[in-house]
Amino acid sequence: MLRVEGLHKRYVTDEAEVTALTDIRLDIADGEFVSLLGPSGCGKSTLLKIMAGLIPASSGSMAIQGKEVRGPGPERAMVFQDYALFPWMTVLDNVGFGLEARGVGKAKRTGTAMELLHAVGLQEFAGRFPHHLSGGMKQRVSIARAFAVDPAILLMDEPFGALDAQTRQGLQDELLRIWTARRKTVVFVTHSIEEAIYLSDRIVVMTARPGRIKTIITLPEPRPRDMATSEMSARQREVRAVLGEEISRAAALEQADMMAAG
Ligand SMILES: Nc1ncnc2c1ncn2[C@@H]1O[C@H](COP(=O)(O)OP(=O)(O)OP(=O)(O)O)[C@@H](O)[C@H]1O
Ligand SMILES: [Mg+2]
């Protein structure tokens, strides 16, 4: 289990201080797929980066299997919106990079990387460089890279946000397929209500800044989920209603900021 307790995050820069998160408390079970949904600037990426150990919390704690963690660790991998592939490495080397960093030998590295490239349908592209790939393909490579190190927890920050609708849907299905086969814990940030409902066991809706947890919606519906059914439409209305309130509040806050700045 991943447990976050009493988490606060305050960013202090020369110009300003921003409270990004207040009192976040969340338990995520092993193998669970949890999405974070909330207005822009509510602290979703901040929470994910704290979970990844990339930035420190201002206070509060995080524990994995009951053990407190502070920095990054091999049991967690992150997938970003902008792929973050190394342009000078082939697709195969990009996928194997995390394994190399862990001292895994070349033959084993290649085997694991090829297996994952198969899983995301890119085995033919192993020897290519990232600039030869479309956005959707690059994101497949970053997903393969994240799975390559066999992390227990996968942290994904709007991984499909930059993709067209069709590519996005294909990748959602691919992600669900790999997740079902390998049962990782996934924490998935998205702006799309539909995507969150399609993928998640639970949706954590956050409030406008400073981010708190507003509601957690549990989705017991079996997968694959047919978004065209009335049941799923009702879910979308339910989530849209809670999220809508916070988006309006975020917009009002932004307006107030602009007025204050003159
Ligand atoms: N490095 C930083 N220094 C100072 N303030 C920051 C920093 N990173 C984020 N913030 C501020 O913290 C708040 C939360 O930012 P964060 O990026 O976590 O939001 P988000 O929910 O991921 O937004 P989006 O949906 O737009 O990606 C924002 O007000 C942002 O301006
Ligand atoms: Mg973000």
Side-chain angles (χ1 to χ4, degrees):
M1 185 172 73
L2 170 68
R3 165 167 284 178
V4 162
E5 242 176 339
L7 209 74
H8 290 257
K9 177 64 184 180
R10 203 165 164 72
Y11 287 108
V12 183
T13 62
D14 291 343
E15 303 91 58
E17 288 191 30
V18 181
T19 301
L21 296 171
T22 46
D23 202 24
I24 302 287
R25 205 206 111 74
L26 183 62
D27 283 352
I28 300 177
D30 293 343
E32 196 180 13
F33 199 122
V34 172
S35 289
L36 303 180
L37 206 56
S40 185
C42 76
K44 302 178 295 295
S45 297
T46 299
L47 179 55
L48 215 61
K49 283 184 215 156
I50 294 173
M51 286 177 168
L54 298 176
I55 58 171
S58 304
S59 62
S61 67
M62 175 172 72
I64 296 172
Q65 315 302 21
K67 252 177 68 192
E68 180 151 356
V69 281
R70 289 186 180 275
E75 72 293 334
R76 281 160 289 153
M78 189 139 171
V79 177
F80 300 91
Q81 178 172 20
D82 58 3
Y83 328 124
L85 300 177
F86 300 118
W88 62 89
M89 283 185 195
T90 62
V91 164
L92 186 73
D93 289 344
N94 264 288
V95 175
F97 177 75
L99 295 171
E100 185 173 13
R102 275 162 215 201
V104 176
K106 185 157 182 166
K108 175 110 200 295
R109 227 158 59 215
T110 305
T112 305
M114 277 315 290
E115 191 186 310
L116 278 152
L117 283 173
H118 258 284
V120 298
L122 285 179
Q123 64 277 16
E124 315 272 312
F125 292 84
R128 300 287 191 88
F129 287 89
H131 67 267
H132 288 132
L133 309 182
S134 69
M137 291 158 99
K138 281 186 217 170
Q139 199 53 291
R140 281 192 168 88
V141 176
S142 14
I143 292 170
R145 179 178 57 184
F147 274 95
V149 294
D150 200 27
I153 301 169
L154 211 56
L155 305 164
M156 308 182 84
D157 197 354
E158 298 191 54
F160 308 146
L163 307 173
D164 64 88
Q166 214 174 342
T167 307
R168 185 173 190 153
Q169 214 171 9
L171 281 185
Q172 288 167 0
D173 286 334
E174 230 153 70
L175 176 62
L176 278 185
R177 215 163 28 72
I178 305 186
W179 172 74
T180 308
R182 301 181 182 231
R183 276 297 156 167
K184 308 294 181 189
T185 305
V186 178
V187 187
F188 188 98
V189 172
T190 179
H191 274 117
S192 161
I193 292 174
E194 198 174 345
E195 181 168 73
I197 294 176
Y198 187 63
L199 297 173
S200 317
D201 294 317
R202 285 190 298 158
I203 300 176
V204 175
V205 181
M206 293 175 64
T207 66
R209 147 174 79 85
R212 281 177 299 109
I213 292 175
K214 182 183 172 78
T215 317
I216 299 182
I217 296 167
T218 303
L219 300 157
E221 290 86 351
R223 300 179 182 83
R225 295 175 179 157
D226 180 355
M227 298 305 284
T229 60
S230 58
E231 196 185 7
M232 286 292 117
S233 305
R235 281 298 195 187
Q236 295 198 50
R237 282 194 298 278
E238 176 189 357
V239 178
R240 186 161 295 123
V242 261
L243 181 62
E245 279 173 29
E246 293 311 314
I247 290 178
S248 311
R249 274 192 46 215
L253 279 171
E254 213 162 278
Q255 187 119 36
D257 279 355
M258 261 155 47
M259 305 271 272

